[in-house]
Amino acid sequence: MASFKSSHQLLLVVVALAVTAGLYVLPKGIVKPKEGKSEMSQQAARTANRDNGAAAPSTTSVEEAAPAGATAAQPHMTMAPAQRKEIDGLLAKYSAEQDPMAKLRVASDLATQYKAVEKFDSAGYYYEQLAVARPGEQTWKRAADSYFEAFSFAATEERQKMLAAKTRELYEKVLKNNPENLDAKTNLGMAYMASDNPVKGVTLLREVLVADPRNENALYNLGLLSIQSNQYDKAVERFRELTKVNPDNINGQFYLGVSLAKTNAKEEAKAAFRKAKSLSTDPALSASVDEQLAQLK
């Protein structure tokens, strides 16, 4: 089950995209990227590793360069000194290694370490190196999933677009290997919401539901997009279906409550909020539910 925190972050991404780029399910006045798709994808690959691991190992760590820690534009930048030391050692080893197979083993270790400290774009870069060497549905998906995580946490419009472009590129490779991979298709659809063609993203999500009407990820994301575009009746429909498929889906119950509240179905909204709260011990969720319930009095 996805955590409330990660899915709530995804909603923030959707809302941020709506504010910064004018994205709607039926878009109006979309701000197109200044760069072409290929150029943006190349830039994402070049800048994916925030410790310069995508290029050459840096002798100065991010923490040393910016001792104040993470910034709004660069979340998840801090790590424990022991982790920093281990990654620096692997970066140096990766740069020096001449044997292709040994280099891939180091790349795998780097991807694992970066994922552990939530530097998802850095992990994605090294997973992509492994996929290039051993292409296949699962290797491409592992790289794409990492970039999708990075996209979900991107704090600026520029990084959202850049990482979304890379995410789309890699999920396209997954679907080329297996067009029926619905998880990849769903995430590809969400990545298209940060492009100049968000309608394609909605189309992909709807195609997932045609193939699997009970697909939780597609129902959830279409529900979020309906909220983002103020289509609250449609959001209620999506989240009702989601909570029928899985009554214990915390996020589904919470956003069903949000949607019902917007349609003035206060008692039903309260029930959904309370159900969400009963399913989780997350204090952030509890606080959000309490805030929503207070507004419904």
Side-chain angles (χ1 to χ4, degrees), residues 14 24 94 111 199 235 245 255-256:
V14 173
Y24 295 89
Y94 182 81
V199 173
V245 171
Y255 290 115
L256 174 60

Side-chain angles (χ1 to χ4, degrees), residues 26 63 95 103 192 223:
L26 295 176
E63 287 70 37
S95 180
K103 197 175 186 77
Y192 264 105

